[in-house]
Amino acid sequence: MNKRHILSIILLCVSIILAGCTKTAAVELTPITVQLQWIHQAQFAGLYAADQNGYYAEEGLAVTFVPGGSNVDSLSPLVEGSAQFGTATADQILLARAEGKPLKAFAVVYRRSPAVFMALSSSGITRPQDFAGKTIRTPAPNAATLHAMMANLGISQDQYTEVDLPSDVEEFASGRIPVWGAYINALALSVQRAGYEINIIYPDDYGVHFYSDTLIATDDFIAKNPDLVRRFLRASLKGWIFAVENPDNVGPMVLKYAPDADPELANAQMIASIPLVNTGEDFIGWMKPEVWAGMEQTLREQGVITNPIDVQQTYTMQFLEEIYGK
């Protein structure tokens, strides 16, 4: 057997070994469940991009997304262990900590809140003072924002009625429920695209400055699986950077999880989200201690939080600092 034949055999053996390694790596992807707080839509574009562009797989993860909704308790799956990661608004996490739920944010997606309240222009409702005596569609993620905004104006919760309804453009347009809590980059955008003229009330204008969607896990999971959290976050941030830079790619990605979605609307939603995600300060995902402290203070002043909590235990900068560098 000459040297050429020996070299060929060696190369063949190496290729077989490498192929076996590839198969093993594929089999050994760590399964991860992510509980979303809402139904599948462009709100979670960065996570979809991380999945479909292979960023999670590059980190050794096989991710499954579980949709939420108005009638879904999206926090219990993390506490009970059926989901490893989740999304929730920052005020939800503060409230959860006050209730003894050991949930913690390790990045913030929406550094500016998309939460708004809207009414048909024909209703004459132009400010939160006009909400008194009205029925307000208030999904769970909007509740704390509404309560804080109204309390800032001296309007107690018994002066208005809250209901939780699914996102429905025609139901909003009917006027049966005059005020709707919504996201500026979701239902409010759909209503405007449908041709309805609306008045939009921004809680930021009334002293309520909240982070919105965060990436979360339990204290115990983070403590026991720091490398897994780091890998998940690294891929997720990469996905959000892609979504911000390529908003017209978001529509087809959403269709994979929501086949009936409107891809053009999804692209528009992502475009509307860009200034909320990429605020031009620090990094995508970055959190500021003073913002967390301000949110906790606002909720406590308005009586939304009454139990003592250590706000510094509500979030961790560990993984953002490791990924971006201090």
Side-chain angles (χ1 to χ4, degrees):
M1 184 177 293
N2 59 37
K3 292 182 178 179
R4 181 175 296 178
H5 288 158
I6 293 173
L7 180 59
S8 298
I9 291 172
I10 291 173
L11 291 174
L12 177 61
C13 290
V14 170
S15 66
I16 291 172
I17 291 170
L18 290 175
C21 290
T22 301
K23 290 180 181 178
T24 301
V27 169
E28 292 181 351
L29 290 178
T30 302
I32 291 296
T33 298
V34 180
Q35 175 64 61
L36 305 177
Q37 77 218 59
W38 200 245
I39 60 174
H40 284 301
Q41 57 180 11
Q43 178 180 352
F44 309 111
L47 305 184
Y48 300 157
D51 185 28
Q52 295 182 41
N53 288 350
Y55 304 152
Y56 288 133
E58 290 171 2
E59 295 286 352
L61 306 176
V63 175
T64 299
F65 300 115
V66 178
S70 58
N71 297 316
V72 175
D73 178 357
S74 59
L75 299 183
S76 289
L78 281 84
V79 176
E80 296 166 358
S82 59
Q84 290 72 49
F85 299 108
T87 68
T89 59
D91 53 280
Q92 281 182 296
I93 300 308
L94 287 163
L95 290 169
R97 298 293 302 201
E99 295 169 357
K101 297 175 182 177
L103 296 170
K104 181 172 293 185
F106 51 89
V108 59
V109 175
Y110 290 97
R111 300 184 70 201
R112 292 178 181 163
S113 176
V116 298
F117 294 87
M118 62 181 184
L120 290 168
S121 293
S122 59
S123 70
I125 297 171
T126 61
R127 55 183 189 158
Q129 291 91 331
D130 299 329
F131 296 1
K134 304 291 195 305
T135 298
I136 305 169
R137 183 257 191 177
T138 316
N142 295 73
T145 300
L146 173 67
H147 300 161
M149 180 177 69
M150 299 298 275
N152 277 352
L153 298 169
I155 302 171
S156 62
Q157 292 182 37
D158 61 4
Q159 291 180 265
Y160 52 90
T161 301
E162 297 176 61
V163 296
D164 194 353
L165 298 172
S167 297
D168 188 321
V169 172
E170 295 307 316
E171 178 62 26
F172 166 76
S174 73
R176 286 187 286 268
I177 306 298
V179 181
W180 281 53
Y183 275 8
I184 191 67
N185 56 346
L187 181 58
L189 181 62
S190 297
V191 168
Q192 290 174 314
R193 284 168 60 88
Y196 297 103
E197 294 185 3
I198 58 175
N199 296 328
I200 299 177
I201 293 91
Y202 294 87
D204 268 345
D205 293 338
Y206 297 90
V208 182
H209 310 294
F210 285 170
Y211 284 148
S212 186
D213 293 13
T214 63
L215 298 178
I216 62 172
T218 63
D219 292 350
D220 186 62
F221 186 85
I222 291 171
K224 292 180 178 178
N225 303 277
D227 185 58
L228 192 58
V229 177
R230 187 179 305 106
R231 286 151 53 198
F232 174 77
L233 178 56
R234 188 160 48 217
S236 299
L237 292 173
K238 191 174 179 180
W240 274 110
I241 291 170
F242 177 88
V244 165
E245 294 178 347
N246 303 276
D248 290 340
N249 290 23
V250 167
M253 289 183 168
V254 173
L255 287 176
K256 178 178 178 180
Y257 311 97
D260 296 331
D262 178 348
E264 291 186 4
L265 173 60
N267 288 343
Q269 290 173 331
M270 185 60 227
I271 292 170
S273 300
I274 291 174
L276 309 176
V277 176
N278 185 23
T279 62
E281 53 183 340
D282 303 323
F283 307 100
I284 289 177
W286 199 257
M287 300 182 289
K288 293 183 176 181
E290 60 268 28
V291 176
W292 279 102
M295 289 187 291
E296 192 271 344
Q297 181 179 353
T298 296
L299 293 173
R300 188 168 299 284
E301 286 175 350
Q302 309 310 329
V304 179
I305 290 178
T306 56
N307 295 332
I309 63 171
D310 181 353
V311 69
Q312 293 183 351
Q313 296 301 311
T314 303
Y315 65 95
T316 176
M317 294 294 295
Q318 173 187 347
F319 304 102
L320 288 167
E321 290 177 347
E322 290 173 352
I323 290 169
Y324 285 123
K326 292 185 180 180

